[in-house]
Amino acid sequence: MSTAAMPDLHCVWDIRAELGEGPVWSVHEQALYFVDIVGQAIHRVHPASGARASWPTPQRPGFVTPVSDGTLLCGLKDGLYGLNPASGEFHREVAVEPSLPGNRINDGCVDSKGRLWFGTMDDGESTPSGALYSVTRRKGGLDVLRHDEGYIVTNGPGISPDGRRLYHNHSPAGIIYVFDLADDGALSNRRVFARISDGYPDGVVVDSAGTLWVGVWNGGRIARFGPDGTALPSIPVPGALNVTKVAFGGPDLRTAYITTARKNTPAERLARMPQAGSLFSLSVDVPGQEPVAFPASEFDAMHGMTLERD
């Protein structure tokens, strides 16, 4: 395992989340959202002003993503929920896997066409009952499509800059898969892209050059891979043992925001890592991809109006 020089990490929010996850940048707000799964909360920080806000969730949240009308779409334990940040009110838009009460929704992302991708997992982390889904906005609601299954813990989804590849993790097996992604959202040709042995692959994000940035659970680092699967020097995150995911943000998308977790960190390690579970950042040379918001209406979806409105 090749490791890059110690980065100049900055603690953005010393929140010490039990299971910080799912960072996502809002272009419209110039703010970062992320979740604490175990703490059942959604958090937002505005880096320029330092303003912070939090919303308690009625169930464990797996991800949150901006919607083009200024609201949020959240993956909670049993389904996809809309959240009005002004009121803090949630409403369920669609149930997911109602016949599998032991499952929950985990990580998610929105591709350049405004499709949402997310995975489910066994909350007990022992049964291969998880699956990979996509979501599109249709008249009358959301169209949820199941693409792949047999996962104990799903993580990832990440999309290549050309929109032709989707990366997805089977975390307990240490495997990062890659699929061919068609224009219509069909997935095919699943194959092993890379493996991680020192720790477990968690969330994935892909920068504008096609490099994968993978949080490593129980690994204290961000693993990186080139588009051809070549392992690149990893980036150590000395503040936490469990590194969960990266998101690129800032006005130029050259700030990497890193979520971490305190969960499953031995007490002696926490004594040496008091800020474990906090949100960190570092400056990068290659920017991330332009974030896309999930469409608020069928009209937005049909006309490609997926960027957040002013």
Side-chain angles (χ1 to χ4, degrees):
M1 179 183 68
S2 176
T3 303
M6 190 69 70
D8 186 15
L9 278 176
H10 170 64
C11 183
V12 178
W13 190 346
D14 188 10
I15 193 169
R16 308 189 187 194
E18 190 66 19
L19 183 47
E21 253 286 12
V24 60
W25 183 252
S26 168
V27 176
H28 173 62
E29 296 180 79
Q30 289 292 290
L32 187 91
Y33 286 88
F34 63 102
V35 304
D36 181 352
I37 297 174
V38 174
Q40 292 192 195
I42 292 169
H43 303 292
R44 181 185 66 198
V45 59
H46 185 258
S49 67
R52 301 167 179 173
S54 299
W55 295 264
T57 60
Q59 303 172 21
R60 288 190 172 194
F63 69 84
V64 60
T65 195
V67 178
S68 57
D69 62 358
T71 63
L72 300 169
L73 184 65
C74 315
L76 301 187
K77 183 182 186 299
D78 68 353
L80 302 177
Y81 287 71
L83 167 61
N84 181 341
S87 67
E89 295 179 352
F90 290 83
H91 67 277
R92 190 168 74 179
E93 297 207 21
V94 63
V96 175
E97 299 182 340
S99 63
L100 295 171
N103 273 14
R104 69 170 173 85
I105 290 175
N106 203 30
D107 207 358
C109 75
V110 176
D111 69 17
S112 61
K113 295 183 182 297
R115 285 183 296 249
L116 169 67
W117 297 89
F118 72 90
T120 60
M121 59 171 280
D122 172 31
D123 212 6
E125 301 183 16
S126 61
T127 303
S129 55
L132 173 63
Y133 293 87
S134 67
V135 184
T136 52
R137 177 75 70 183
R138 295 286 185 263
K139 185 176 181 179
L142 301 180
D143 185 11
V144 181
L145 180 62
R146 187 182 183 108
H147 290 269
D148 197 29
E149 57 188 22
Y151 296 88
I152 297 173
V153 177
T154 60
N155 264 301
I159 312 293
S160 63
D162 62 7
R164 295 180 179 178
R165 286 181 160 197
L166 180 142
Y167 303 94
H168 194 234
N169 297 345
H170 189 188
S171 296
I175 296 174
I176 302 170
Y177 288 116
V178 61
F179 298 80
D180 294 329
L181 174 57
D183 286 343
D184 64 359
L187 294 182
S188 61
N189 192 24
R190 187 185 85 170
R191 64 246 185 227
V192 175
F193 175 76
R195 295 180 185 269
I196 290 178
S197 57
D198 185 11
Y200 302 93
D202 207 309
V204 173
V205 70
V206 186
D207 68 20
S208 59
T211 298
L212 274 70
W213 295 58
V214 186
V216 182
W217 184 270
N218 198 38
R221 70 188 190 281
I222 302 162
R224 297 186 301 152
F225 298 91
D228 62 355
T230 300
L232 303 175
S234 60
I235 297 175
V237 181
L241 176 64
N242 297 319
V243 180
T244 55
K245 194 170 184 178
V246 173
F248 295 100
D252 57 2
L253 300 176
R254 283 186 165 88
T255 301
Y257 291 97
I258 306 157
T259 49
T260 65
R262 299 176 72 80
K263 180 184 176 183
N264 293 353
T265 303
E268 64 273 14
R269 295 292 292 270
L270 281 177
R272 301 197 304 269
M273 300 175 170
Q275 291 182 317
S278 296
L279 177 70
F280 299 92
S281 72
L282 73 157
S283 298
V284 297
D285 295 328
V286 178
Q289 299 182 58
E290 186 77 14
V292 174
F294 189 72
S297 67
E298 182 189 19
F299 179 85
D300 285 8
M302 289 175 60
H303 293 80
M305 296 173 60
T306 55
L307 292 179
E308 295 159 283
R309 296 186 177 122
D310 296 329

